[in-house]
Amino acid sequence: MNKKIFVRNFPFASTKQDLEALFESSGKIIDIYIPFCKETGSNRGFAFIEFSTSEEMENALLMNGKNFNGRTIQVNIAKNNKTKKAPFSYK
């Protein structure tokens, strides 16, 4: 079962440590991935957080709609996108 959540709409100044502090009460965090903008160096306002069990992931879903540093975050189950499309090529 999926153990990852997708978190979005958090402040661009947020760090891994900020998200870890916010979600540590939900359970043991295995990994936090925050994509960064290549041009500005700031985060893109979303992250993927993996927990050790699906129960802990479900606890984290309860954070949906909560205020985090002045912004209402959205927390959803991360979609498992294993089917990648082949790149388009001109022949």
Side-chain angles (χ1 to χ4, degrees):
M1 177 158 209
N2 194 353
K3 298 181 257 181
K4 275 189 183 179
I5 59 171
F6 174 66
V7 183
R8 66 181 181 176
N9 199 40
F10 58 83
F12 296 114
S14 299
T15 65
K16 262 187 179 178
Q17 292 78 15
D18 295 332
L19 291 175
E20 189 171 15
L22 179 66
F23 285 98
E24 68 185 353
S25 64
S26 299
K28 183 178 179 187
I29 297 172
I30 301 298
D31 184 45
I32 298 176
Y33 172 67
I34 304 173
F36 285 86
C37 178
K38 292 178 184 178
E39 295 174 6
T40 65
S42 66
N43 76 55
R44 296 178 58 199
F46 67 91
F48 295 92
I49 303 175
E50 182 177 5
F51 291 88
S52 61
T53 67
S54 57
E55 290 81 20
E56 292 170 340
M57 183 262 318
E58 289 176 15
N59 289 338
L61 292 174
L62 300 174
M63 297 295 289
N64 187 42
K66 300 290 183 182
N67 186 306
F68 176 56
N69 292 336
R71 299 192 71 172
T72 303
I73 59 170
Q74 296 176 4
V75 182
N76 298 301
I77 297 172
K79 293 180 182 175
N80 192 359
N81 191 9
K82 288 193 178 198
T83 58
K84 298 203 176 196
K85 295 181 181 178
F88 183 80
S89 64
Y90 293 98
K91 288 189 177 183

